[in-house]
mmCIF file of all heavy atoms in Angstrom:
data_model
loop_
_atom_site.group_PDB
_atom_site.id
_atom_site.type_symbol
_atom_site.label_atom_id
_atom_site.label_comp_id
_atom_site.label_asym_id
_atom_site.label_seq_id
_atom_site.Cartn_x
_atom_site.Cartn_y
_atom_site.Cartn_z
ATOM 1 N N ALA A 1 100.671 124.640 139.181
ATOM 2 C CA ALA A 1 99.631 125.532 138.673
ATOM 3 C C ALA A 1 99.187 125.128 137.266
ATOM 4 O O ALA A 1 99.967 124.566 136.494
ATOM 5 C CB ALA A 1 100.132 126.976 138.650
ATOM 6 N N ARG A 2 97.943 125.453 136.965
ATOM 7 C CA ARG A 2 97.425 125.324 135.605
ATOM 8 C C ARG A 2 97.681 126.641 134.883
ATOM 9 O O ARG A 2 97.080 127.665 135.213
ATOM 10 C CB ARG A 2 95.918 125.035 135.619
ATOM 11 C CG ARG A 2 95.299 124.881 134.217
ATOM 12 C CD ARG A 2 93.799 124.643 134.290
ATOM 13 N NE ARG A 2 93.493 123.406 134.983
ATOM 14 C CZ ARG A 2 93.493 122.206 134.421
ATOM 15 N NH1 ARG A 2 93.805 122.080 133.138
ATOM 16 N NH2 ARG A 2 93.207 121.129 135.117
ATOM 17 N N PRO A 3 98.570 126.662 133.889
ATOM 18 C CA PRO A 3 98.881 127.915 133.187
ATOM 19 C C PRO A 3 97.660 128.441 132.436
ATOM 20 O O PRO A 3 96.927 127.675 131.809
ATOM 21 C CB PRO A 3 99.990 127.507 132.215
ATOM 22 C CG PRO A 3 100.556 126.232 132.783
ATOM 23 C CD PRO A 3 99.395 125.543 133.422
ATOM 24 N N LEU A 4 97.453 129.751 132.494
ATOM 25 C CA LEU A 4 96.290 130.352 131.847
ATOM 26 C C LEU A 4 96.653 131.484 130.894
ATOM 27 O O LEU A 4 96.224 131.485 129.743
ATOM 28 C CB LEU A 4 95.310 130.883 132.912
ATOM 29 C CG LEU A 4 94.662 129.869 133.829
ATOM 30 C CD1 LEU A 4 93.809 130.582 134.878
ATOM 31 C CD2 LEU A 4 93.812 128.884 133.042
ATOM 32 N N PHE A 5 97.418 132.467 131.374
ATOM 33 C CA PHE A 5 97.659 133.680 130.605
ATOM 34 C C PHE A 5 99.154 133.988 130.522
ATOM 35 O O PHE A 5 99.882 133.851 131.500
ATOM 36 C CB PHE A 5 96.945 134.871 131.248
ATOM 37 C CG PHE A 5 95.467 134.671 131.405
ATOM 38 C CD1 PHE A 5 94.895 134.533 132.676
ATOM 39 C CD2 PHE A 5 94.636 134.611 130.307
ATOM 40 C CE1 PHE A 5 93.540 134.351 132.829
ATOM 41 C CE2 PHE A 5 93.265 134.423 130.446
ATOM 42 C CZ PHE A 5 92.715 134.288 131.707
ATOM 43 N N LEU A 6 99.575 134.444 129.340
ATOM 44 C CA LEU A 6 100.958 134.824 129.117
ATOM 45 C C LEU A 6 101.034 136.218 128.509
ATOM 46 O O LEU A 6 100.118 136.649 127.800
ATOM 47 C CB LEU A 6 101.654 133.851 128.157
ATOM 48 C CG LEU A 6 102.372 132.623 128.740
ATOM 49 C CD1 LEU A 6 101.406 131.726 129.496
ATOM 50 C CD2 LEU A 6 103.068 131.849 127.628
ATOM 51 N N SER A 7 102.128 136.909 128.793
ATOM 52 C CA SER A 7 102.488 138.116 128.052
ATOM 53 C C SER A 7 103.675 137.772 127.154
ATOM 54 O O SER A 7 104.383 136.787 127.391
ATOM 55 C CB SER A 7 102.875 139.249 129.001
ATOM 56 O OG SER A 7 104.116 138.968 129.630
ATOM 57 N N ALA A 8 103.882 138.573 126.126
ATOM 58 C CA ALA A 8 104.998 138.338 125.213
ATOM 59 C C ALA A 8 105.626 139.665 124.832
ATOM 60 O O ALA A 8 104.959 140.536 124.277
ATOM 61 C CB ALA A 8 104.529 137.600 123.962
ATOM 62 N N GLY A 9 106.903 139.833 125.152
ATOM 63 C CA GLY A 9 107.650 141.022 124.770
ATOM 64 C C GLY A 9 108.720 140.646 123.756
ATOM 65 O O GLY A 9 109.495 139.715 123.979
ATOM 66 N N PHE A 10 108.755 141.357 122.639
ATOM 67 C CA PHE A 10 109.687 141.062 121.558
ATOM 68 C C PHE A 10 110.740 142.165 121.439
ATOM 69 O O PHE A 10 110.395 143.340 121.317
ATOM 70 C CB PHE A 10 108.948 140.955 120.221
ATOM 71 C CG PHE A 10 107.930 139.858 120.170
ATOM 72 C CD1 PHE A 10 106.630 140.079 120.605
ATOM 73 C CD2 PHE A 10 108.259 138.610 119.683
ATOM 74 C CE1 PHE A 10 105.670 139.065 120.556
ATOM 75 C CE2 PHE A 10 107.315 137.587 119.632
ATOM 76 C CZ PHE A 10 106.021 137.821 120.070
ATOM 77 N N ILE A 11 112.008 141.788 121.485
ATOM 78 C CA ILE A 11 113.113 142.692 121.174
ATOM 79 C C ILE A 11 113.622 142.271 119.800
ATOM 80 O O ILE A 11 114.207 141.191 119.648
ATOM 81 C CB ILE A 11 114.250 142.602 122.212
ATOM 82 C CG1 ILE A 11 113.700 142.748 123.633
ATOM 83 C CG2 ILE A 11 115.324 143.628 121.907
ATOM 84 C CD1 ILE A 11 113.069 144.085 123.917
ATOM 85 N N LEU A 12 113.392 143.105 118.797
ATOM 86 C CA LEU A 12 113.674 142.753 117.413
ATOM 87 C C LEU A 12 114.823 143.597 116.879
ATOM 88 O O LEU A 12 114.870 144.809 117.101
ATOM 89 C CB LEU A 12 112.432 142.971 116.556
ATOM 90 C CG LEU A 12 111.142 142.298 117.062
ATOM 91 C CD1 LEU A 12 109.960 142.738 116.231
ATOM 92 C CD2 LEU A 12 111.290 140.785 117.044
ATOM 93 N N GLU A 13 115.725 142.936 116.167
ATOM 94 C CA GLU A 13 116.859 143.644 115.598
ATOM 95 C C GLU A 13 116.501 144.226 114.233
ATOM 96 O O GLU A 13 115.872 143.555 113.400
ATOM 97 C CB GLU A 13 118.048 142.694 115.453
ATOM 98 C CG GLU A 13 119.293 143.370 114.928
ATOM 99 C CD GLU A 13 120.450 142.387 114.767
ATOM 100 O OE1 GLU A 13 120.266 141.203 115.083
ATOM 101 O OE2 GLU A 13 121.524 142.830 114.341
ATOM 102 N N GLU A 14 116.893 145.452 114.011
ATOM 103 C CA GLU A 14 116.689 146.075 112.707
ATOM 104 C C GLU A 14 117.298 145.196 111.616
ATOM 105 O O GLU A 14 118.424 144.717 111.738
ATOM 106 C CB GLU A 14 117.346 147.458 112.694
ATOM 107 C CG GLU A 14 117.180 148.208 111.386
ATOM 108 C CD GLU A 14 117.919 149.537 111.394
ATOM 109 O OE1 GLU A 14 118.658 149.793 112.376
ATOM 110 O OE2 GLU A 14 117.749 150.300 110.434
ATOM 111 N N GLY A 15 116.533 144.951 110.555
ATOM 112 C CA GLY A 15 116.994 144.097 109.478
ATOM 113 C C GLY A 15 116.495 142.669 109.571
ATOM 114 O O GLY A 15 116.750 141.859 108.673
ATOM 115 N N LEU A 16 115.785 142.328 110.654
ATOM 116 C CA LEU A 16 115.225 140.979 110.778
ATOM 117 C C LEU A 16 114.212 140.743 109.654
ATOM 118 O O LEU A 16 113.280 141.531 109.486
ATOM 119 C CB LEU A 16 114.539 140.817 112.140
ATOM 120 C CG LEU A 16 113.839 139.479 112.396
ATOM 121 C CD1 LEU A 16 114.868 138.385 112.636
ATOM 122 C CD2 LEU A 16 112.883 139.580 113.585
ATOM 123 N N PRO A 17 114.355 139.677 108.865
ATOM 124 C CA PRO A 17 113.359 139.393 107.825
ATOM 125 C C PRO A 17 111.976 139.187 108.427
ATOM 126 O O PRO A 17 111.833 138.493 109.435
ATOM 127 C CB PRO A 17 113.887 138.110 107.170
ATOM 128 C CG PRO A 17 115.353 138.101 107.475
ATOM 129 C CD PRO A 17 115.469 138.723 108.844
ATOM 130 N N MET A 18 110.969 139.756 107.788
ATOM 131 C CA MET A 18 109.624 139.648 108.326
ATOM 132 C C MET A 18 109.125 138.211 108.355
ATOM 133 O O MET A 18 108.372 137.815 109.236
ATOM 134 C CB MET A 18 108.672 140.523 107.515
ATOM 135 C CG MET A 18 107.331 140.755 108.192
ATOM 136 S SD MET A 18 107.495 141.707 109.716
ATOM 137 C CE MET A 18 107.783 143.340 109.043
ATOM 138 N N ASP A 19 109.581 137.389 107.387
ATOM 139 C CA ASP A 19 109.120 136.004 107.394
ATOM 140 C C ASP A 19 109.694 135.222 108.576
ATOM 141 O O ASP A 19 109.089 134.274 109.064
ATOM 142 C CB ASP A 19 109.431 135.298 106.077
ATOM 143 C CG ASP A 19 110.917 135.196 105.789
ATOM 144 O OD1 ASP A 19 111.690 135.983 106.354
ATOM 145 O OD2 ASP A 19 111.307 134.312 104.998
ATOM 146 N N THR A 20 110.880 135.640 109.075
ATOM 147 C CA THR A 20 111.436 135.013 110.271
ATOM 148 C C THR A 20 110.556 135.299 111.481
ATOM 149 O O THR A 20 110.224 134.399 112.258
ATOM 150 C CB THR A 20 112.868 135.525 110.529
ATOM 151 O OG1 THR A 20 113.702 135.163 109.429
ATOM 152 C CG2 THR A 20 113.444 134.928 111.807
ATOM 153 N N LEU A 21 110.161 136.563 111.626
ATOM 154 C CA LEU A 21 109.265 136.922 112.723
ATOM 155 C C LEU A 21 107.937 136.196 112.586
ATOM 156 O O LEU A 21 107.372 135.721 113.574
ATOM 157 C CB LEU A 21 109.057 138.435 112.744
ATOM 158 C CG LEU A 21 108.098 138.974 113.808
ATOM 159 C CD1 LEU A 21 108.553 138.574 115.209
ATOM 160 C CD2 LEU A 21 107.977 140.494 113.699
ATOM 161 N N TRP A 22 107.452 136.104 111.373
ATOM 162 C CA TRP A 22 106.167 135.427 111.131
ATOM 163 C C TRP A 22 106.234 133.967 111.549
ATOM 164 O O TRP A 22 105.317 133.440 112.185
ATOM 165 C CB TRP A 22 105.809 135.555 109.652
ATOM 166 C CG TRP A 22 104.489 134.953 109.267
ATOM 167 C CD1 TRP A 22 104.271 133.854 108.499
ATOM 168 C CD2 TRP A 22 103.187 135.433 109.633
ATOM 169 N NE1 TRP A 22 102.934 133.616 108.360
ATOM 170 C CE2 TRP A 22 102.244 134.569 109.037
ATOM 171 C CE3 TRP A 22 102.747 136.512 110.390
ATOM 172 C CZ2 TRP A 22 100.872 134.754 109.193
ATOM 173 C CZ3 TRP A 22 101.375 136.689 110.541
ATOM 174 C CH2 TRP A 22 100.465 135.818 109.942
ATOM 175 N N ARG A 23 107.337 133.285 111.209
ATOM 176 C CA ARG A 23 107.501 131.885 111.602
ATOM 177 C C ARG A 23 107.517 131.745 113.122
ATOM 178 O O ARG A 23 106.911 130.818 113.677
ATOM 179 C CB ARG A 23 108.791 131.313 111.026
ATOM 180 C CG ARG A 23 108.777 131.032 109.543
ATOM 181 C CD ARG A 23 110.135 130.522 109.083
ATOM 182 N NE ARG A 23 110.480 129.249 109.741
ATOM 183 C CZ ARG A 23 111.691 128.704 109.682
ATOM 184 N NH1 ARG A 23 112.678 129.332 109.041
ATOM 185 N NH2 ARG A 23 111.923 127.542 110.279
ATOM 186 N N VAL A 24 108.204 132.638 113.794
ATOM 187 C CA VAL A 24 108.279 132.592 115.253
ATOM 188 C C VAL A 24 106.902 132.808 115.867
ATOM 189 O O VAL A 24 106.491 132.091 116.788
ATOM 190 C CB VAL A 24 109.277 133.643 115.769
ATOM 191 C CG1 VAL A 24 109.189 133.777 117.296
ATOM 192 C CG2 VAL A 24 110.699 133.281 115.367
ATOM 193 N N VAL A 25 106.178 133.783 115.359
ATOM 194 C CA VAL A 25 104.846 134.083 115.886
ATOM 195 C C VAL A 25 103.901 132.900 115.675
ATOM 196 O O VAL A 25 103.126 132.525 116.578
ATOM 197 C CB VAL A 25 104.285 135.363 115.238
ATOM 198 C CG1 VAL A 25 102.803 135.534 115.546
ATOM 199 C CG2 VAL A 25 105.060 136.582 115.720
ATOM 200 N N GLN A 26 103.951 132.294 114.501
ATOM 201 C CA GLN A 26 103.094 131.140 114.246
ATOM 202 C C GLN A 26 103.456 129.961 115.135
ATOM 203 O O GLN A 26 102.577 129.208 115.586
ATOM 204 C CB GLN A 26 103.177 130.747 112.766
ATOM 205 C CG GLN A 26 102.560 131.758 111.824
ATOM 206 C CD GLN A 26 101.089 132.006 112.139
ATOM 207 O OE1 GLN A 26 100.277 131.087 112.178
ATOM 208 N NE2 GLN A 26 100.751 133.259 112.388
ATOM 209 N N SER A 27 104.743 129.784 115.407
ATOM 210 C CA SER A 27 105.166 128.730 116.319
ATOM 211 C C SER A 27 104.653 128.988 117.733
ATOM 212 O O SER A 27 104.197 128.062 118.428
ATOM 213 C CB SER A 27 106.689 128.636 116.331
ATOM 214 O OG SER A 27 107.135 127.662 117.252
ATOM 215 N N MET A 28 104.702 130.247 118.155
ATOM 216 C CA MET A 28 104.168 130.602 119.470
ATOM 217 C C MET A 28 102.674 130.343 119.541
ATOM 218 O O MET A 28 102.154 129.856 120.550
ATOM 219 C CB MET A 28 104.474 132.062 119.778
ATOM 220 C CG MET A 28 105.947 132.372 119.968
ATOM 221 S SD MET A 28 106.286 134.120 120.248
ATOM 222 C CE MET A 28 105.625 134.332 121.912
ATOM 223 N N LYS A 29 101.982 130.678 118.474
ATOM 224 C CA LYS A 29 100.536 130.442 118.427
ATOM 225 C C LYS A 29 100.218 128.964 118.622
ATOM 226 O O LYS A 29 99.369 128.594 119.444
ATOM 227 C CB LYS A 29 99.986 130.918 117.090
ATOM 228 C CG LYS A 29 98.514 130.571 116.861
ATOM 229 C CD LYS A 29 98.065 130.933 115.457
ATOM 230 C CE LYS A 29 96.616 130.521 115.228
ATOM 231 N NZ LYS A 29 96.174 130.830 113.846
ATOM 232 N N LEU A 30 100.922 128.098 117.877
ATOM 233 C CA LEU A 30 100.680 126.665 117.984
ATOM 234 C C LEU A 30 101.022 126.138 119.370
ATOM 235 O O LEU A 30 100.260 125.356 119.968
ATOM 236 C CB LEU A 30 101.501 125.930 116.927
ATOM 237 C CG LEU A 30 101.397 124.399 116.931
ATOM 238 C CD1 LEU A 30 99.965 123.955 116.693
ATOM 239 C CD2 LEU A 30 102.326 123.799 115.869
ATOM 240 N N ALA A 31 102.162 126.566 119.905
ATOM 241 C CA ALA A 31 102.567 126.096 121.228
ATOM 242 C C ALA A 31 101.578 126.539 122.301
ATOM 243 O O ALA A 31 101.263 125.780 123.227
ATOM 244 C CB ALA A 31 103.966 126.608 121.560
ATOM 245 N N ALA A 32 101.080 127.769 122.193
ATOM 246 C CA ALA A 32 100.100 128.270 123.163
ATOM 247 C C ALA A 32 98.806 127.476 123.085
ATOM 248 O O ALA A 32 98.201 127.133 124.112
ATOM 249 C CB ALA A 32 99.849 129.753 122.934
ATOM 250 N N GLU A 33 98.368 127.170 121.872
ATOM 251 C CA GLU A 33 97.140 126.381 121.707
ATOM 252 C C GLU A 33 97.316 124.991 122.312
ATOM 253 O O GLU A 33 96.418 124.476 122.989
ATOM 254 C CB GLU A 33 96.792 126.285 120.227
ATOM 255 C CG GLU A 33 96.312 127.594 119.614
ATOM 256 C CD GLU A 33 96.142 127.514 118.108
ATOM 257 O OE1 GLU A 33 96.595 126.503 117.509
ATOM 258 O OE2 GLU A 33 95.567 128.458 117.525
ATOM 259 N N GLN A 34 98.453 124.374 122.062
ATOM 260 C CA GLN A 34 98.699 123.029 122.595
ATOM 261 C C GLN A 34 98.782 123.024 124.113
ATOM 262 O O GLN A 34 98.391 122.046 124.762
ATOM 263 C CB GLN A 34 99.975 122.463 121.980
ATOM 264 C CG GLN A 34 99.864 122.180 120.492
ATOM 265 C CD GLN A 34 101.164 121.732 119.866
ATOM 266 O OE1 GLN A 34 102.250 121.999 120.385
ATOM 267 N NE2 GLN A 34 101.079 121.047 118.741
#
């Protein structure tokens, strides 16, 4: 199949640094674009 659409569910632990989440989200963005 040619992949087209994805969903993303995040289970986040209390105390997770926001910059860690930001890095993960930006990595997902780049991978999805590629």
Side-chain angles (χ1 to χ4, degrees):
R2 180 182 297 277
L4 296 176
F5 303 112
L6 270 61
S7 70
F10 298 87
I11 309 296
L12 308 173
E13 183 181 359
E14 181 183 7
L16 177 73
M18 194 65 75
D19 63 339
T20 298
L21 178 58
W22 182 249
R23 287 178 62 191
V24 170
V25 168
Q26 292 302 304
S27 177
M28 293 177 71
K29 173 186 177 182
L30 178 60
E33 290 173 349
Q34 293 175 337

